[in-house]
Amino acid sequence: MKKKTKIYPWKMYFHVLLGMFFLLPALLNAQNATVKVSGIVTDTNNEPLIGVSVAEKGTTNGAITDVDGKYSLTVRPTSTLRFSFISYKTQEVKVDGRKTINIRMEDDVQALNEVVVIGYGTLDKKELTSAVSHISSKDFLHISSLDPSMMIQGKVAGVSVTNTAAADPNNQASIQIRGISSRAAGLGPLIVIDGIPGGNLTNINPNDIASMDILKDGAASAIYGTRGSNGVIVITTKKGSRDGKFHATYNGMLTASIPLHELDQLTAEEFREYRVPNNPTSDLGGATNWIDEITRTGFTHQHTVTLSGGTSQSNYRVSVDYRNATGIDIRSSREEYGARASINHTTKNGLLDFSVNIAPRIAYRENSSWDAFKIAMDANPTTPLFDPENPNLYSDFTGQEALWNPVEELKLEQNGGETKLLDWDATVKLNLLPLLAKDGHSIHSLSTQLTFADQQSDNFDYWFRPSTSRLAMKNDYKGEASRTYSKYRQHSLEWLGNYAMELKGHRARAMVGYSYQYFQNSGLNAANKDFSSDGLLYNNLGSGEWAKEEGRNEMGTNKSDSKLIAFFGRLSYDYKNRYLMTASLRYEGSSRFGDDNKWGYFPAVSAGWRISEEAFMKDITWIDDLKIRGDYGVTGNQDFGNYLSLSTMSSFGSYYYNGQYFTVWGAGKNPNPGLKWEKGKNWNIGVDFSMFKGILSGSVNYYNRKQQDLLGDYNVPVPPYLFSTTFVNVGTMRNTGIEVDLNIQAVKMKDFSYTVNLVGATNENKFLKFSNNEFTGQNYYDLANMESPNQPGKLQRIEEGQRLGNYYTWKYAGIDADGDWVVWNKDNTEMIKISDAKEEDKRVTGNGLPKFTASMTNTLTYKNWGLTIFLRGAFGFDLFNVHDFYWGIPSMQSNVLKKAYTKNAAIKKGKNVLTDYFIERGDYVKLDMVTLSYTFQINNKWLDSARLYVTGKNLATITGFNGVDPSTYQTNGLTPGVNLNGTEGTRRYYPSTTQVMFGVQLDF
């Protein structure tokens, strides 16, 4: 019988511990073991790729491939490498102890997984079922303007961006999407910045913008209800980096704006030759080029410093910018300081997300005077700059067509102000599913978020004319001054709930939300005259003697507000990314609407079919992706004044009674309890495609938008109405068109690539009717009353059944022996003298609305060099040559163009006669921008990279138009093709420029 061995517990523990002691170094060594992995990264043609990011997943450890596509990286044997590069699919590969890993990158065809921002959400590009154009920062144009919309001028089909004075540092562009949509309400799109509706484009540095998404059709913009009819531009700003590293970037640019002298007027010598013989007293003995006297080369320098860092859990981005710009007139300038900060944080367990954005800005403005260029063109060139009898005073323009000395206006008068902007928002998001599901896994996701935003804008403006001004002397004032203050505030509260489910190829998503927005405008103004000294400028209005006279009141205040409240939701479904459907509804109310129409419904539905995902398409290898889609949506426009539906009181002056003044009050207008939004019924069909492995991709859209219940003032009987006009919803207008966007990857090699982007759009517009069952309007309305001299009349007519932009003038027939105008009669059967012509002899003689717009972007890269050539144009429209109309004929009393004594020398009588003689084809093709750049890949301990570039803008224009640059004529709005000052046709203008920009970007 064996003797049992007794095992003591302490001996067992000792042996275990002893074994662990000897095994621990081996375990630690295995844990800390590393392997050096190297390899080559190539494209689909086996050409090496430079600049591919190679990173050890889950760490900040990484490398970049060199010019031969090679990389080398020390990692853990069990780690995963992540390979990423623009325009290629990201790949993840396990190391598994290997020392050599070669990767062949696959094309990311048309970036189908590119994220597109829509109203209250995002989608992959391949999931879109409506017309949304996505422009990322790499495709933006270089600009020195304060207005970021100029970065997409001509880049998006169906979007018209026009800046009639790009060199004016305080001027903004107008934006119009898919044609004009209103007669009396606002025409510009809704701006949404980082999800906050009602954004201010002047408070965003172009370097801070990551992308712009333009919601063009009704289905995309209906989610914004009464503000969606003119389209929506959704701007997404750049956020903090998530790679665990700290990044710093500097962007700087210097721009020279060189004025173009496009109007060739008589010099002093030519004036004496042609004009003085008929009026000897007009020779004033001088020789002044008034345009040159008020013009200079404008310079702009701007600087941005950006700091960014963080991880996927917490990240931040802060940018600070400074910009100083001078216009090409001798007074205008703009100096501004701005900043933008973004902080994002996700709690450790992922339950909560927090984000905060804040953007302050202050700008100091000196305003230009567009009238100064009109006056300089009118001015007698023999007038000396200063008064010969009193050299301390500028020359007196009394008796001239030019009403004042333009140099004196820009030198002596002060006209400007300061603007303060502050936008901020904060969002908290609660992630419920799948986080709270069992084991943290679920086919469902559920989240809810709350956002508060506040936007403020303050403008404090000034104006001062000293006692030494000829205009002040003429009016017998010892100086004049005014101050104006205006404040705008918008705050909003929005709640969103998002749900998503995915099961066996079926995917459904739902979003519900609530929105509350409050808008407030307030202001005050004061003015006075006759100051004891010019030294105080506009800073002591109370010291002026003029307002001390009894009964004089040069002050005022104002305040108005409005509210918008909305409930909305969206439901989308797709099956295997093949069959796609989306439906949305917004129920919205506005305090601007009448009691009978406070709330409105704005539904939308869209569907798409990715035919390329069908089994029968798999053998068609040259088609990468093919999708057809269609949508319908109802949108609204409530961009009109406050309180127009209500019965309000207005003051009607003052009267003196019994030793004191009394203000007279009475009803201010006819109330309209039925006032409501303008309604747009929009439908769109489109095709998205990618072919030949991404070599050719793009989209085609056809749209039809019928805008109903257009607002306007209509004649009503008195009585029962108190006033003869009432602001009501009556008219109907229609816009249709085709949009094409093509991308061609013409060449893609190791060291060289060439891509082409072609954009084109047509627009057909028709004003259908001015009347409804209750209100009967005229069949036509004449617009664009041309300024004096000679009271020429109105240039354009809006008529039922006709396209907007029709010129309505006499038909030119010739010039008679006496040098007077001859026109055709209404039947086109007889030539008659202009003195015998009647209004009924006028007819449609042209149209100022372009039928087709297009652009072409050529992008070439060779190693570290880059070249971009951008052309754009507009076709199928006419322009009224307003400067020939006023300055191109000898009978004008002002100075004139040289062509008045060459081309138009026979016209000796009848100044400012509205005939189609001055209507010319406005078609043009413009070499709008060329950029040449070089990037230095430095990658030392001080600097990662440096990019230098030079850009030329507005380099050449091919056109048959004989006036100024045709692209500076306003073709947006109710009177396309007419040079306007407010609603009046004018000859005033701001010269075009060629801009040269030098820029640098340093990445640290």
Side-chain angles (χ1 to χ4, degrees):
M1 183 175 180
K2 279 187 177 182
K3 184 179 179 182
K4 292 183 179 180
T5 302
K6 188 174 181 180
I7 300 177
Y8 294 95
W10 64 269
K11 289 184 177 180
M12 180 179 67
Y13 297 149
F14 174 77
H15 289 130
V16 171
L17 290 172
L18 187 63
M20 290 179 64
F21 177 78
F22 287 107
L23 287 174
L24 185 59
L27 291 172
L28 290 174
N29 186 58
Q31 179 68 26
N32 294 323
T34 59
V35 60
K36 186 175 182 179
V37 181
S38 60
I40 299 176
V41 181
T42 60
D43 62 13
T44 53
N45 296 319
N46 291 321
E47 294 286 348
L49 281 174
I50 180 176
V52 177
S53 173
V54 185
E56 182 180 6
K57 188 177 180 181
T59 73
T60 59
N61 185 27
I64 300 293
T65 58
D66 61 18
V67 292
D68 298 315
K70 295 179 180 180
Y71 72 93
S72 178
L73 190 64
T74 301
V75 299
R76 291 177 290 111
T78 58
S79 63
T80 298
L81 295 185
R82 190 173 188 269
F83 298 81
S84 60
F85 193 54
I86 295 173
S87 299
Y88 291 88
K89 293 180 180 178
T90 298
Q91 296 188 41
E92 293 186 355
V93 179
K94 290 185 177 180
V95 175
D96 289 334
R98 291 178 291 174
K99 295 183 178 181
T100 302
I101 299 178
N102 296 324
I103 292 294
R104 185 182 182 187
M105 301 292 284
E106 297 180 8
D107 292 326
D108 190 1
V109 177
Q110 200 198 353
L112 294 177
N113 295 317
E114 186 176 38
V115 175
V116 176
V117 182
I118 58 174
Y120 302 104
T122 60
L123 287 173
D124 287 345
K125 198 168 186 177
K126 63 187 177 184
E127 299 174 317
L128 281 175
T129 54
S130 53
V132 178
S133 293
H134 177 83
I135 306 294
S136 63
S137 57
K138 65 182 178 63
D139 298 315
F140 290 157
L141 300 173
H142 286 116
I143 63 168
S144 64
S145 167
L146 65 96
D147 189 347
S149 68
M150 295 296 290
M151 296 191 299
I152 61 170
Q153 185 179 37
K155 300 283 287 185
V156 183
V159 177
S160 174
V161 180
T162 303
N163 192 335
T164 56
D168 182 345
N170 298 300
N171 194 55
Q172 280 189 263
S174 71
I175 311 171
Q176 190 170 280
I177 298 177
R178 289 186 166 180
I180 186 172
S181 60
S182 180
R183 181 181 161 211
L187 300 174
L190 174 67
I191 306 299
V192 178
I193 300 177
D194 288 333
I196 308 301
N200 187 340
L201 284 176
T202 63
N203 192 24
I204 185 165
N205 180 352
N207 290 306
D208 289 334
I209 299 178
S211 66
M212 293 190 191
D213 295 276
I214 296 87
L215 317 185
K216 297 189 288 188
D217 63 5
S221 56
I223 197 70
Y224 289 105
T226 59
R227 293 175 293 172
S229 271
N230 299 325
V232 182
I233 296 180
V234 182
I235 295 176
T236 302
T237 62
K238 296 174 182 177
K239 304 303 178 186
S241 57
R242 301 187 174 200
D243 58 3
K245 299 179 180 179
F246 175 80
H247 299 270
T249 300
Y250 166 78
N251 283 281
M253 186 162 64
L254 173 67
T255 302
S257 297
I258 305 164
L260 302 178
H261 295 281
E262 300 166 305
L263 298 176
D264 195 9
Q265 63 183 159
L266 297 181
T267 64
E269 293 75 14
E270 292 165 335
F271 188 89
R272 291 185 174 99
E273 178 184 352
Y274 292 111
R275 310 286 281 179
V276 170
N278 295 323
N279 184 8
T281 61
S282 63
D283 188 350
L284 303 178
T288 307
N289 187 318
W290 291 101
I291 290 293
D292 284 351
E293 289 293 337
I294 65 170
T295 306
R296 64 187 174 186
T297 297
F299 288 98
T300 301
H301 62 96
Q302 52 199 77
H303 314 271
T304 302
V305 176
T306 303
L307 306 177
S308 175
T311 65
S312 58
Q313 185 172 348
S314 298
N315 57 81
Y316 63 90
R317 185 179 188 275
V318 179
S319 70
V320 179
D321 64 270
Y322 171 78
R323 180 175 180 271
N324 192 317
T326 58
I328 60 170
D329 66 278
I330 58 177
R331 184 175 67 189
S332 65
S333 66
R334 184 183 182 94
E335 183 181 24
E336 60 183 293
Y337 310 81
R340 181 171 292 270
S342 171
I343 302 173
N344 301 279
H345 174 69
T346 301
T347 56
K348 183 177 181 180
N349 54 15
L351 183 64
L352 292 170
D353 294 331
F354 298 94
S355 65
V356 177
N357 300 289
I358 184 168
R361 184 167 299 274
I362 184 167
Y364 302 97
R365 297 174 280 106
E366 284 288 342
N367 298 328
S368 64
S369 171
W370 295 16
D371 281 328
F373 288 96
K374 178 182 80 170
I375 296 298
M377 289 294 297
D378 281 341
N380 183 336
T382 69
T383 308
L385 180 59
F386 290 96
D387 188 340
E389 298 180 2
N390 188 348
N392 293 321
L393 296 177
Y394 285 94
S395 288
D396 187 357
F397 273 41
T398 299
Q400 291 195 36
E401 185 72 27
L403 300 178
W404 60 83
N405 188 318
V407 178
E408 179 184 52
E409 177 194 9
L410 295 178
K411 288 283 191 178
L412 292 188
E413 293 186 12
Q414 297 190 30
N415 186 344
E418 64 181 52
T419 298
K420 295 180 180 178
L421 305 170
L422 177 62
D423 300 341
W424 70 272
D425 63 85
T427 299
V428 56
K429 181 180 179 182
L430 177 64
N431 301 300
L432 298 172
L433 293 176
L435 189 66
L436 300 184
K438 186 178 181 180
D439 301 324
H441 298 287
S442 175
I443 63 171
H444 308 281
S445 69
L446 179 65
S447 66
T448 181
Q449 70 181 56
L450 193 66
T451 299
F452 178 81
D454 187 83
Q455 295 155 275
Q456 299 185 36
S457 171
D458 289 58
N459 288 283
F460 197 15
D461 297 334
Y462 57 79
W463 175 77
F464 174 71
R465 176 182 289 160
S467 60
T468 54
S469 164
R470 288 287 189 178
L471 283 177
M473 295 177 183
K474 185 182 297 185
N475 296 325
D476 198 25
Y477 295 134
K478 296 182 181 67
E480 304 171 68
S482 66
R483 301 278 341 232
T484 303
Y485 175 78
S486 62
K487 182 178 181 65
Y488 169 78
R489 185 185 180 194
Q490 169 189 325
H491 65 252
S492 61
L493 178 69
E494 293 192 322
W495 168 81
L496 294 178
N498 282 283
Y499 167 79
M501 180 275 292
E502 187 170 358
L503 178 65
K504 295 181 180 180
H506 298 275
R507 184 165 54 170
R509 281 170 289 187
M511 180 272 295
V512 293
Y514 165 82
S515 176
Y516 169 88
Q517 286 192 285
Y518 176 74
F519 312 88
Q520 185 184 97
N521 290 278
S522 58
L524 57 89
N525 61 277
N528 208 345
K529 305 176 181 68
D530 293 335
F531 301 98
S532 58
S533 170
D534 290 332
L536 294 176
L537 305 175
Y538 43 78
N539 295 309
N540 192 352
L541 296 181
S543 66
E545 299 296 326
W546 188 87
K548 294 179 181 179
E549 292 290 329
E550 190 174 15
R552 289 176 175 170
N553 182 5
E554 286 288 304
M555 69 182 82
T557 59
N558 64 83
K559 184 178 180 179
S560 67
D561 64 357
S562 64
K563 293 179 183 178
L564 269 178
I565 297 176
F567 304 87
F568 52 89
R570 179 170 56 224
L571 179 65
S572 61
Y573 166 81
D574 75 76
Y575 176 66
K576 293 186 176 180
N577 280 327
R578 185 183 307 165
Y579 311 113
L580 312 155
M581 292 187 64
T582 300
S584 68
L585 177 67
R586 187 177 181 105
Y587 179 59
E588 186 166 56
S590 171
S591 62
R592 291 177 173 175
F593 304 152
D595 287 339
D596 300 339
N597 291 296
K598 281 293 182 189
W599 293 82
Y601 291 94
F602 302 92
V605 62
S606 61
W609 178 24
R610 289 185 70 202
I611 304 174
S612 55
E613 295 299 300
E614 297 289 355
F616 61 79
M617 294 289 292
K618 295 306 179 183
D619 293 333
I620 307 177
T621 57
W622 56 274
I623 296 180
D624 310 317
D625 192 76
L626 179 62
K627 176 175 63 182
I628 59 173
R629 48 183 168 76
D631 63 76
Y632 173 82
V634 178
T635 57
N637 188 349
Q638 60 100 49
D639 189 7
F640 50 85
N642 297 327
Y643 315 134
L644 294 179
S645 68
L646 304 177
S647 178
T648 56
M649 304 289 285
S650 296
S651 60
F652 292 86
S654 302
Y655 76 99
Y656 187 78
Y657 175 75
N658 200 22
Q660 59 181 316
Y661 285 91
F662 293 88
T663 300
V664 179
W665 289 90
K669 63 180 183 307
N670 293 324
N672 180 10
L675 188 68
K676 61 179 181 179
W677 57 95
E678 297 182 336
K679 179 186 290 186
K681 295 182 177 180
N682 314 260
W683 62 270
N684 185 101
I685 57 174
V687 178
D688 301 324
F689 57 88
S690 177
M691 302 176 182
F692 312 114
K693 294 185 178 181
I695 292 177
L696 175 64
S697 61
S699 63
V700 179
N701 287 282
Y702 171 79
Y703 66 89
N704 184 305
R705 178 175 65 189
K706 188 176 182 181
Q707 205 75 14
Q708 300 176 183
D709 301 323
L710 297 183
L711 289 160
D713 287 308
Y714 278 75
N715 296 327
V716 292
V718 179
Y721 291 93
L722 293 176
F723 298 89
S724 59
T725 61
T726 296
F727 194 64
V728 295
N729 301 88
V730 175
T732 304
M733 188 191 306
R734 183 174 62 221
N735 283 278
T736 60
I738 297 173
E739 299 168 348
V740 179
D741 190 340
L742 298 177
N743 299 286
I744 304 169
Q745 182 72 58
V747 180
K748 189 174 183 181
M749 301 170 62
K750 173 187 174 182
D751 294 327
F752 178 72
S753 68
Y754 174 40
T755 60
V756 181
N757 173 248
L758 298 171
V759 169
T762 68
N763 178 254
E764 183 60 41
N765 169 279
K766 184 175 288 187
F767 210 112
L768 300 178
K769 56 183 179 180
F770 287 103
S771 305
N772 61 15
N773 296 331
E774 184 178 359
F775 296 96
T776 302
Q778 301 171 216
N779 292 328
Y780 65 86
Y781 288 85
D782 290 331
L783 300 172
N785 190 43
M786 303 303 292
E787 67 179 355
S788 291
N790 202 38
Q791 298 181 339
K794 296 182 178 180
L795 179 59
Q796 286 195 349
R797 172 171 289 186
I798 299 179
E799 190 170 2
E800 281 191 356
Q802 298 292 319
R803 181 178 172 87
L804 281 178
N806 279 340
Y807 298 107
Y808 200 77
T809 70
W810 286 294
K811 179 72 174 175
Y812 172 74
I815 303 296
D816 65 15
D818 297 325
D820 205 356
W821 295 92
V822 177
V823 297
W824 288 98
N825 68 354
K826 64 179 179 180
D827 300 321
N828 218 39
T829 58
E830 182 184 358
M831 293 187 292
I832 56 177
K833 285 193 171 188
I834 192 63
S835 57
D836 297 326
K838 300 177 181 179
E839 281 294 312
E840 51 262 35
D841 292 315
K842 289 184 177 179
R843 68 196 68 188
V844 175
T845 51
N847 188 278
L849 185 63
K851 293 182 178 179
F852 180 65
T853 56
S855 73
M856 179 181 185
T857 306
N858 302 272
T859 305
L860 300 94
T861 62
Y862 175 70
K863 293 186 177 180
N864 290 355
W865 289 93
L867 176 65
T868 300
I869 302 172
F870 177 67
L871 302 97
R872 62 183 176 92
F875 311 91
F877 72 112
D878 305 299
L879 293 176
F880 183 76
N881 195 333
V882 66
H883 301 123
D884 275 16
F885 179 71
Y886 285 103
W887 295 315
I889 54 178
S891 56
M892 287 294 292
Q893 299 302 310
S894 64
N895 193 12
V896 293
L897 302 175
K898 292 179 180 179
K899 66 177 67 176
Y901 290 95
T902 54
K903 174 188 173 184
N904 301 328
I907 307 172
K908 302 184 185 303
K909 297 182 179 180
K911 55 187 176 183
N912 300 358
V913 176
L914 288 175
T915 77
D916 62 339
Y917 181 82
F918 299 105
I919 297 174
E920 305 175 21
R921 294 298 288 176
D923 299 19
Y924 67 89
V925 175
K926 179 184 291 291
L927 179 56
D928 197 43
M929 185 172 291
V930 175
T931 297
L932 178 65
S933 66
Y934 187 84
T935 301
F936 297 88
Q937 298 291 349
I938 300 173
N939 294 318
N940 62 24
K941 64 179 182 179
W942 308 111
L943 192 63
D944 291 335
S945 64
R947 179 175 181 263
L948 304 178
Y949 63 89
V950 58
T951 295
K953 183 168 176 58
N954 195 26
L955 298 174
T957 303
I958 301 173
T959 182
F961 184 66
N962 290 308
V964 298
D965 185 344
S967 69
T968 63
Y969 272 76
Q970 184 62 267
T971 54
N972 294 342
L974 278 174
T975 54
V978 180
N979 192 42
L980 288 180
N981 179 15
T983 60
E984 184 179 67
T986 180
R987 62 190 183 277
R988 77 173 198 158
Y989 75 111
Y990 200 85
S992 303
T993 63
T994 291
Q995 292 184 324
V996 181
M997 311 173 201
F998 300 93
V1000 59
Q1001 177 179 322
L1002 304 177
D1003 294 318
F1004 299 92

